[in-house]
Amino acid sequence: MNNENKTSRREFVKNAAVLTGGVIAVPLASHANFFSGADDTIKVALVGCGHRGTGAAMQACLTKQNVKLVAMADAFRDRIDSSYKALTADDISETGASGNIKNKIDVPEERKYTGFDAYKKAIAHADVVILTTPPGFRPIHFEEAINKGKHVFMEKPVATDPAGVKKVLDTAEIAKQKKLNVVVGLQRHYQNSYRELYSRKNLIGDITSAQAWWNNDGVWVNERKYNQTEMEYQMRNWYYFNWLCGDHIVEQHIHNLDVVNWFKGGYLVKAQGMGGRQVRKGKDHGEIYDHHYVEFHYADGSILNSQCRHIPGTMSKVDELIIGTRGKIFCGAANIQDHTGKVLYQYDTKKENDPYQAEHDELFAAIAKGEYKFSDTENGAKSTMTAVMGRMATYSGKVMEWEKLLASGISIMPKTFDWNALPPVVPDEDGKYPIAKPGVTKYF
Ligand SMILES: NC(=O)c1ccc[n+]([C@@H]2O[C@H](COP(=O)([O-])OP(=O)(O)OC[C@H]3O[C@@H](n4cnc5c(N)ncnc54)[C@H](O)[C@@H]3O)[C@@H](O)[C@H]2O)c1
């Protein structure tokens, strides 16, 4: 079933947080570093004009700063058109915002770019770049943005394989040297309840273990159309192909794994787990699993138990539980309890904010003031690596080690980006794709 056409404009924005530990606030030498014009307009380019990209562009335009969207890039023209229509609508109130943002959208025909090279052309026009394609492309697009001296908002995950994570980490160093702000769309870091819980994490003592869940029914499917090349089909149905998506453990469960890394203040050293496909058996279900269960180990021996499942009719739960020597943090319920169940802190949920909007409010305010304040990249890349390591553990059934994987250079990306090129996985004569088999699939 194709659910994409049913997406309302409200969801464009709804699909829309990380102060990486300490916040750096270093005034920049000159506004000329990031303002390309003489006025104070902050020019934005959108790369990936789908649901999230449209929402993020709206949020950028809804900040208090003088923002203009000046260029759009997408692999497909129809995605630019639907995004542009939503952004220039007379009334965007169904997104939760009031009025419209038409006067902030300045994207004439000659600044709408399509195809695999479109990103380069759009990025050239901007001070700030929004990167919201499927995550497989993120390392390439991020590298271009930073090399060209742009500030970045980029969605999670930031890669789909160890080579991609490494490229993003290397590029993060350049971003730091150039003092370019980077916000990664792990929006719980920008969400009031999570920030309040984080600031009180000492109430639970030392963190000894954690649980993380992303269990629900699953996501959209874009069925194959008769006239598509294999490359176009996979790009349209990207969720089901690892080079584009990373599997749902990477694409969605990253949010929960990232929260645990954040509270723990570190990353994992090894992982082992199990997973498979119980219900994802159709031709349009590509190669990803529908469930994973992974035991992640931190260097100090504490363990993160993670489960993610996309199976309709099963228990839904998207949450994190962090367990310490003196108590527990229940992230979803936004409270902290001791081991007898006594509530030590309860966040007032009436004070909850829209973290998607907060990401942009904070990023654009820093840019307007000439501050270097956000360097989310390293955290975004390492939480992506956590999830990639989880997938490689469930696919292989072997213990995966962080350092070995990160140094492995393993890439699952295509060598050539062209509509007629063959992607790295292709279907057999029955239209089925090869599926990873624990015990058989090997990475080393
Ligand atoms: N933080 C969150 O809560 C949240 C929510 C939703 C989506 N996201 C993230 O946003 C990203 C996009 O998700 P989405 O739901 O918007 O998907 P989508 O399919 O609606 O949009 C992706 C767009 O990117 C385009 N695209 C693909 N390859 C491209 C390329 N090489 N160059 C230019 N454009 C290209 C596609 O044609 C499509 O229009 C994903 O990484 C996803 O995980 C994050």
Side-chain angles (χ1 to χ4, degrees):
M1 187 177 73
N2 182 347
N3 285 329
E4 276 225 295
N5 298 336
K6 294 185 192 152
T7 307
S8 69
R9 264 194 291 138
R10 172 175 285 277
E11 281 172 299
F12 270 128
V13 159
K14 249 176 57 190
N15 283 341
V18 190
L19 295 182
T20 47
V23 176
I24 326 147
V26 183
L28 294 180
S30 153
H31 277 201
N33 282 350
F34 46 87
F35 291 139
S36 49
D39 64 19
D40 69 347
T41 308
I42 305 175
K43 294 181 180 174
V44 176
L46 171 60
V47 178
C49 307
H51 299 123
R52 185 64 204 105
T54 306
M58 277 190 191
Q59 283 137 6
C61 292
L62 287 166
T63 64
K64 294 200 179 92
Q65 316 309 323
N66 186 8
V67 171
K68 270 217 159 74
L69 182 70
V70 298
M72 298 170 80
D74 198 284
F76 300 109
R77 177 64 203 216
D78 58 289
R79 301 308 299 266
I80 293 187
D81 291 342
S82 53
S83 177
Y84 185 79
K85 196 170 162 207
L87 291 166
T88 53
D90 287 334
D91 177 6
I92 59 164
S93 56
E94 83 178 82
T95 66
S98 60
N100 65 60
I101 49 165
K102 280 157 74 170
N103 65 339
K104 306 241 170 185
I105 311 299
D106 177 19
V107 192
E109 204 47 36
E110 62 270 22
R111 292 202 294 270
K112 292 175 182 166
Y113 303 104
T114 54
F116 287 107
D117 284 345
Y119 71 101
K120 286 191 182 171
K121 297 172 190 156
I123 286 172
H125 294 287
D127 305 304
V128 184
V129 182
I130 296 175
L131 302 178
T132 43
T133 64
F137 291 105
R138 203 88 70 242
I140 302 168
H141 295 175
F142 180 57
E143 185 180 48
E144 172 73 9
I146 296 303
N147 283 346
K148 294 286 152 57
K150 316 298 180 179
H151 299 276
V152 172
F153 169 81
M154 63 176 163
E155 264 306 340
K156 43 47 69 174
V158 302
T160 56
D161 57 23
V165 171
K166 180 79 174 50
K167 187 195 264 291
V168 171
L169 284 170
D170 292 346
T171 308
E173 289 306 311
I174 302 169
K176 257 189 222 163
Q177 285 159 21
K178 293 187 173 182
K179 295 190 165 51
L180 294 169
N181 286 292
V182 182
V183 166
V184 174
L186 288 160
Q187 72 274 5
R188 284 160 179 76
H189 294 253
Y190 293 82
Q191 186 168 340
N192 288 344
S193 56
Y194 278 88
R195 285 174 162 181
E196 294 297 331
L197 291 171
Y198 181 81
S199 70
R200 293 169 176 81
K201 71 180 183 126
N202 286 346
L203 288 175
I204 68 163
D206 295 332
I207 295 171
T208 52
S209 67
Q211 302 277 136
W213 301 264
W214 191 294
N215 293 340
N216 62 14
D217 287 359
V219 299
W220 49 267
V221 172
N222 277 334
E223 288 166 8
R224 190 188 291 273
K225 303 262 179 3
Y226 79 96
N227 58 350
Q228 288 171 326
T229 63
E230 182 63 24
M231 182 64 90
E232 176 172 357
Y233 166 65
Q234 293 195 15
M235 290 279 286
R236 294 277 190 187
N237 196 26
W238 63 265
Y239 205 94
Y240 297 90
F241 298 96
N242 284 324
W243 68 274
L244 286 156
C245 162
D247 200 316
H248 67 111
I249 186 172
V250 178
E251 215 278 334
Q252 286 179 308
H253 193 38
I254 181 176
H255 281 297
N256 319 103
L257 301 173
D258 169 65
V259 165
V260 179
N261 286 339
W262 175 28
F263 279 60
K264 180 73 186 158
Y267 302 93
L268 292 312
V269 291
K270 60 180 181 174
Q272 72 85 26
M274 57 186 77
R277 286 163 54 114
Q278 286 289 314
V279 299
R280 269 190 177 134
K281 293 180 189 292
K283 285 186 177 173
D284 292 302
H285 287 145
E287 57 174 337
I288 68 170
Y289 279 8
D290 56 27
H291 63 282
H292 303 257
Y293 199 112
V294 185
E295 178 189 296
F296 289 100
H297 293 245
Y298 287 97
D300 67 0
S302 51
I303 287 176
L304 157 58
N305 282 302
S306 112
Q307 50 178 293
C308 56
R309 178 174 58 205
H310 275 179
I311 300 186
T314 59
M315 180 198 78
S316 281
K317 186 174 173 98
V318 176
D319 204 351
E320 309 85 25
L321 166 66
I322 296 165
I323 303 166
T325 46
R326 295 205 303 271
K328 301 185 181 79
I329 303 174
F330 294 84
C331 294
N335 72 38
I336 302 178
Q337 301 177 16
D338 71 13
H339 287 309
T340 69
K342 183 177 157 212
V343 176
L344 304 175
Y345 170 73
Q346 174 66 58
Y347 174 73
D348 177 359
T349 49
K350 290 197 284 300
K351 293 189 181 149
E352 195 62 286
N353 64 339
D354 173 355
Y356 298 99
Q357 187 58 51
E359 289 170 333
H360 291 269
D361 289 346
E362 295 182 23
L363 172 63
F364 281 88
I367 292 171
K369 281 191 213 140
E371 288 176 355
Y372 172 51
K373 207 168 166 187
F374 296 99
S375 59
D376 291 354
T377 320
E378 186 182 339
N379 175 64
K382 289 189 173 174
S383 284
T384 299
M385 189 63 205
T386 304
V388 166
M389 183 162 81
R391 179 191 78 222
M392 294 174 81
T394 63
Y395 279 15
S396 65
K398 305 270 195 235
V399 176
M400 290 291 121
E401 292 170 30
W402 179 282
E403 290 299 336
K404 202 168 158 191
L405 268 194
L406 195 55
S408 70
I410 293 173
S411 168
I412 57 171
M413 293 298 287
K415 301 265 179 297
T416 311
F417 296 108
D418 182 278
W419 295 117
N420 291 311
L422 278 185
V425 286
V426 288
D428 65 16
E429 56 208 16
D430 295 327
K432 297 285 180 75
Y433 293 85
I435 311 298
K437 276 202 187 94
V440 176
T441 296
K442 282 198 168 65
Y443 296 112
F444 300 103

